[in-house]
């Protein structure tokens, strides 16, 4: 299709690619649609932040919008987009009915980021000191909301194959409503590793992650209280540098230089931080989706040690770029071995290259998504006709959401 197409992205927040993997993924989506001839507008009700990307540099128009306001109706009618992309299910709940009412022919796409219901259920199971089971999802209120949102949309972007399986097997969602879209990066060769800092030129362990994300805060607590003491006992000169955007006071209080545990705060350039480190430590105990920090480590040629949750759906059947270990003592032992054994370190570094090339092929997934969106643009009526449950939920749920929003809007005028 050569004619100008318009994409409206409604963001939960303004993109901060240097603060979180979610921000990086959003910029990847913008890149895909821009490369396929879309004129893009990014709208959000969030406040501006000091670290948000300058969207105009990417040819994207920026628009501030209001929650529970008819002003959005006027805005979207004038814009008249062909495609609307909702950033997380909460945004679809808030604005989906307005899009459907004012631009009924626009293709509605949901970027789930990760399954919030999976993350919530796992966190609850962790706090209750029990194993997570798939059946836990069915009792989560957020699952009912999230699945309803997926069904109402023409297409949902799913970042993890594990989550694709949950949606199809546990929730019985038709595969035509789902598209598997992992993080997308350029291919690497083993020669690219030679351009990165060598084993000898690197030092220290590192963890990096946005502290607004609860699994990251929990991981740092776990490192400080359980894993780091075991590492320091066997390897007294070890140093761990913890980087992350938006550290709270409780994070900063973990700073303990005498014990080699440094809270560094926001990284000006996450890539440079990870490239200079010798090993990434990421003992993640709950969460969902793919872990951007671990893919970034592979790109930087930095082996990592993580858990089965951390590595979930990230490496197909390939050997990990480091170690996957859930036991505290074994995690600590393998961290030391990986840090000190140059031959092992170099082999696991190469494993990361193989994973990148097998699992995160930028061109493959970008082209498939573009073709699918164009197909939906040409025949959305047939696609929607076969999504009866989505139509049913749109008819009932949008009514309740619509009247609640209109009530709030009226109340705000008083």
């Amino acid at each position: 299709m050569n004619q100008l197409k318009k994409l409206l992205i409604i963001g939960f927040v303004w993109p901060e690619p240097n603060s979180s993997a979610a921000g990086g993924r959003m910029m990847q989506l913008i890149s895909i649609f821009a490369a396929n001839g879309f004129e893009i507008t990014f709208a959000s009700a969030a406040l501006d932040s000091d670290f948000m990307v300058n969207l105009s540099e990417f040819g994207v128009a920026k628009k501030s919008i209001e929650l529970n306001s008819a002003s959005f109706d006027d805005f979207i009618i004038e814009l008249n987009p062909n495609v609307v992309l909702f950033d997380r299910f909460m945004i679809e709940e808030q604005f989906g009915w307005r899009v459907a009412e004012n631009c009924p022919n626009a293709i509605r796409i949901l970027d789930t980021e990760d399954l919030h219901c999976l993350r919530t259920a796992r966190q609850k199971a962790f706090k209750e000191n029990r194993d997570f089971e798939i059946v836990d999802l069915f009792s989560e209120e957020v699952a009912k909301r999230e699945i309803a949102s997926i069904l109402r949309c023409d297409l949902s972007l799913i970042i993890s194959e594990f989550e694709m399986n949950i949606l199809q097997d546990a929730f019985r969602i038709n595969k035509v409503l789902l598209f598997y879209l992992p993080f997308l990066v350029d291919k690497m060769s083993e020669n690219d590793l030679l351009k990165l800092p060598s084993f000898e030129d690197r030092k220290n362990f590192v963890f990096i992650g946005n502290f607004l994300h609860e699994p990251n805060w929990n991981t740092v607590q776990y490192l400080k209280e359980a894993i780091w003491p075991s590492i320091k006992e066997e390897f007294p000169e070890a140093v761990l540098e913890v980087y992350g955007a938006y550290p709270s006071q409780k994070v900063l209080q973990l700073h303990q230089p005498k014990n080699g545990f440094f809270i560094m705060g926001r990284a000006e350039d996450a890539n440079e931080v990870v490239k200079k480190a010798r090993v990434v430590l990421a003992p993640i105990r709950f969460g969902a989706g793919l872990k951007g920090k671990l893919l970034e480590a592979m790109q930087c040629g930095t082996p990592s040690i993580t858990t089965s949750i951390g590595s979930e759906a990230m490496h197909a059947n390939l050997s990990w770029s480091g170690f996957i270990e859930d036991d505290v003592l074994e995690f600590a032992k393998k961290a030391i071995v990986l840090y000190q054994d140059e031959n092992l370190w170099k082999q696991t570094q190469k494993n990361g290259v193989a994973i990148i090339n097998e699992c995160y092929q930028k061109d493959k997934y970008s082209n498939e998504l573009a073709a699918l969106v164009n197909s939906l643009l040409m025949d959305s009526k047939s696609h929607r006709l076969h999504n009866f449950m989505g139509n049913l939920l749109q008819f009932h749920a949008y009514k309740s959401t619509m009247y609640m929003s209109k009530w709030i809007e009226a109340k705000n005028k008083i």
Side-chain angles (χ1 to χ4, degrees):
M1 299 177 69
N2 295 318
Q3 67 192 67
L4 179 66
K5 297 168 289 187
K6 294 182 180 180
L7 167 68
L8 170 63
I9 302 173
I10 309 178
F12 181 70
V13 293
W14 301 106
E16 292 187 22
N18 292 328
S19 299
S20 69
R25 176 173 174 82
M26 180 55 71
M27 296 311 296
Q28 289 178 358
L29 289 172
I30 286 173
S31 175
I32 292 171
F33 280 96
N36 284 276
F38 280 84
E39 180 183 89
I40 304 172
T41 299
F42 194 105
S44 179
L47 296 174
D48 287 5
S49 78
D50 294 336
F51 303 101
M52 60 189 284
V53 74
N54 185 349
L55 290 166
S56 64
E57 292 182 359
F58 297 88
V60 177
K62 177 179 178 289
K63 173 69 176 178
S64 292
I65 53 177
E66 295 180 35
L67 298 173
N68 305 305
S69 172
S71 62
F72 179 84
D73 302 342
D74 298 332
F75 159 66
I76 197 170
I77 288 170
E78 182 178 352
L79 184 65
N80 193 26
N82 307 89
V83 179
V84 177
L85 189 149
F86 304 103
D87 173 25
R88 289 165 254 205
F89 79 91
M90 303 83 80
I91 293 298
E92 188 277 336
E93 284 182 329
Q94 179 65 228
F95 293 100
W97 67 271
R98 291 186 183 274
V99 172
E101 189 175 74
N102 294 295
C103 293
N105 294 325
I107 301 301
R108 297 187 295 275
I109 300 177
L110 172 65
D111 183 28
T112 58
E113 294 287 356
D114 59 35
L115 281 185
H116 290 64
C117 60
L118 177 60
R119 189 200 312 167
T120 301
R122 277 180 167 163
Q123 184 170 344
K124 184 179 292 185
F126 170 78
K127 289 184 175 180
E128 294 173 358
N129 197 27
R130 59 178 177 80
D131 291 335
F132 162 79
E133 297 180 8
I134 294 295
V135 70
D136 292 339
L137 295 170
F138 301 143
S139 60
E140 289 293 328
E141 178 185 328
V142 70
K144 298 175 178 66
R145 294 170 56 197
E146 191 166 24
I147 298 305
S149 181
I150 289 171
L151 287 168
R152 285 193 296 264
C153 288
D154 298 304
L155 188 68
S156 289
L157 308 180
I158 312 300
I159 201 169
S160 158
E161 288 184 318
F162 181 76
E163 294 177 7
M164 284 285 285
N165 292 335
I166 286 177
L167 291 171
Q168 293 174 77
D169 299 340
F171 291 108
R172 306 298 186 196
I173 294 179
N174 192 324
K175 189 177 181 179
V176 300
L177 298 177
L178 309 173
F179 181 77
Y180 170 57
L181 188 71
F183 292 123
L184 305 176
V185 298
D186 294 321
K187 286 191 172 185
M188 284 185 72
S189 71
E190 291 186 6
N191 286 335
D192 291 326
L193 297 175
L194 301 176
K195 304 170 188 174
L196 297 169
S198 66
F199 177 86
E200 296 84 357
D201 291 335
R202 296 172 182 247
K203 64 177 182 178
N204 300 339
F205 295 98
V206 72
F207 171 82
I208 190 164
N210 187 322
F211 286 108
L212 295 179
H213 191 53
E214 181 65 22
N216 287 334
W217 158 237
N218 180 269
T219 297
V220 173
Q221 279 184 300
Y222 189 40
L223 276 167
K224 180 68 165 60
E225 296 168 5
I227 294 173
W228 193 243
S230 296
I231 291 176
K232 285 295 283 186
E233 185 177 351
E234 296 295 323
F235 184 20
E237 59 268 40
V239 170
L240 172 61
E241 295 179 332
V242 175
Y243 288 87
Y246 303 107
S248 64
Q249 190 58 38
K250 62 184 180 181
V251 175
L252 297 174
Q253 286 176 350
L254 298 181
H255 185 65
Q256 194 175 22
K258 289 182 179 179
N259 198 33
F261 199 97
F262 292 82
I263 302 297
M264 308 297 290
R266 176 184 288 273
E268 286 189 22
D269 187 328
N271 256 274
E272 284 304 308
V273 165
V274 179
K275 281 178 185 176
K276 291 175 181 177
R278 190 174 289 180
V279 174
V280 167
L281 301 181
I284 299 162
R285 292 190 284 184
F286 56 84
L290 302 182
K291 311 305 179 287
K293 62 178 65 63
L294 296 177
L295 178 58
E296 181 179 53
M298 296 179 210
Q299 290 179 282
C300 293
T302 311
S304 62
I305 306 182
T306 189
T307 57
S308 53
I309 290 289
S311 65
E312 180 180 86
M314 286 203 66
H315 60 115
N317 295 316
L318 299 173
S319 297
W320 186 250
S321 178
F323 291 110
I324 300 168
E325 184 55 64
D326 293 319
D327 180 79
V328 173
L329 294 179
E330 284 300 313
F331 191 104
K333 287 178 183 177
K334 287 177 178 174
I336 296 169
V337 168
L338 187 56
Y339 191 95
Q340 296 178 336
D341 187 330
E342 183 174 358
N343 290 330
L344 174 64
W345 187 89
K346 287 182 176 178
Q347 180 53 55
T348 57
Q349 191 184 47
K350 292 175 183 177
N351 292 349
V353 173
I355 292 169
I356 285 171
N357 294 336
E358 176 68 24
C359 303
Y360 303 97
Q361 304 152 50
K362 186 176 182 179
D363 292 342
K364 175 181 184 294
Y365 292 110
S366 298
N367 293 337
E368 287 180 0
L369 177 59
L372 182 52
V373 171
N374 282 332
S375 175
L376 288 172
L377 284 170
M378 289 187 283
D379 192 15
S380 62
K381 188 176 292 186
S382 174
H383 179 80
R384 290 174 176 174
L385 186 64
H386 290 89
N387 182 17
F388 179 76
M389 288 304 295
N391 292 328
L392 183 71
L393 285 166
Q394 184 177 358
F395 179 80
H396 289 288
Y398 274 175
K399 293 296 182 185
S400 61
T401 309
M402 176 179 71
Y403 287 122
M404 174 60 77
S405 182
K406 286 183 177 295
W407 178 79
I408 295 172
E409 183 180 351
K411 187 172 180 289
N412 288 341
K413 290 179 181 178
I414 297 174

